Amino acid sequence: MKLRVGLGFDVHELEPGRPFFLGGMELPGAPKGAVGHSDADVLIHAICDALLGAANLRDIGFHFANTDSRWKGMDSKFFLKEVTRLLHEKGWRIENVDCTLCLEKPKVNPHIPAMKSVLAPLMDISEDDLSIKATTNEKLGYVGREEGVNAMAVCLIVRMP
Ligand code: MG
């Protein structure tokens, strides 16, 4: 049995008056939303990079370039489903994913169960194998000034001989 770990990190700028897509859902009542070529879902992008990294399949920008008009405004759940398909094609199965979101506002803890129920099936894993955590940046730096949001993810993938 072959095991691999993967690491993903992503950042997006926040701007007032736009919808905030995070963890596969739109955060209700968010004062700002993330800016990006796709729907700018920073959590999904970090998870995609962790999975691609574990399977040594380059990164999300390689597969879904932010210069490609096909991905403009794209729902990032499509990327996660596609990345999972690429891993399965190479014989990998996802064992677990652990991630941390870093932002000041709004509080995301109440939405974590919903995020897990949306994202776990896209990766063909149980909700128990997906951990999502959230922290603030203690008002420091770009996250602290609410100029941006970032996310980190690690994963373990398994290939049977
Ligand atoms: Mg991104």
Side-chain angles (χ1 to χ4, degrees):
M1 184 172 72
K2 192 172 171 62
L3 300 172
R4 290 243 192 101
V5 294
L7 164 72
F9 176 73
D10 195 32
V11 181
H12 279 271
E13 188 184 350
L14 289 172
E15 209 173 73
R18 55 164 68 228
F20 195 175
F21 295 102
L22 192 62
M25 57 180 283
E26 186 179 338
L27 278 188
K32 294 180 178 182
V35 184
H37 183 67
S38 64
D39 68 1
D41 191 320
V42 73
L43 181 62
I44 291 187
H45 296 180
I47 293 173
C48 284
D49 263 0
L51 295 171
L52 290 168
N56 204 351
L57 286 168
R58 305 288 299 262
D59 58 36
I60 189 169
F62 177 82
H63 295 279
F64 312 105
N66 64 7
T67 48
D68 189 331
S69 59
R70 275 181 301 168
W71 317 127
K72 181 133 182 63
M74 191 72 181
D75 182 340
S76 293
K77 293 194 285 296
F78 170 83
F79 302 148
L80 187 54
K81 220 177 148 68
E82 191 60 15
V83 164
T84 301
R85 191 188 63 76
L86 288 170
L87 263 69
H88 287 170
E89 220 171 66
K90 280 192 87 177
W92 294 105
R93 139 177 100 69
I94 301 163
E95 185 64 28
N96 80 303
V97 175
D98 180 26
C99 26
T100 298
L101 273 166
C102 190
L103 78 168
E104 295 295 326
K105 271 185 208 157
K107 288 275 171 232
V108 294
N109 266 322
H111 306 296
I112 285 175
M115 291 176 182
K116 288 175 62 171
S117 72
V118 170
L119 300 185
L122 300 175
M123 294 181 275
D124 211 15
I125 60 176
S126 73
E127 289 177 39
D128 191 46
D129 291 325
L130 171 62
S131 150
I132 302 174
K133 310 181 299 298
T135 182
T136 70
N137 213 42
E138 299 289 343
K139 298 195 161 48
L140 295 167
Y142 68 90
V143 171
R145 292 189 297 272
E146 297 168 40
E147 293 167 2
V149 52
N150 70 50
M152 284 164 270
V154 291
C155 69
L156 186 70
I157 62 173
V158 187
R159 188 159 61 187
M160 293 302 179

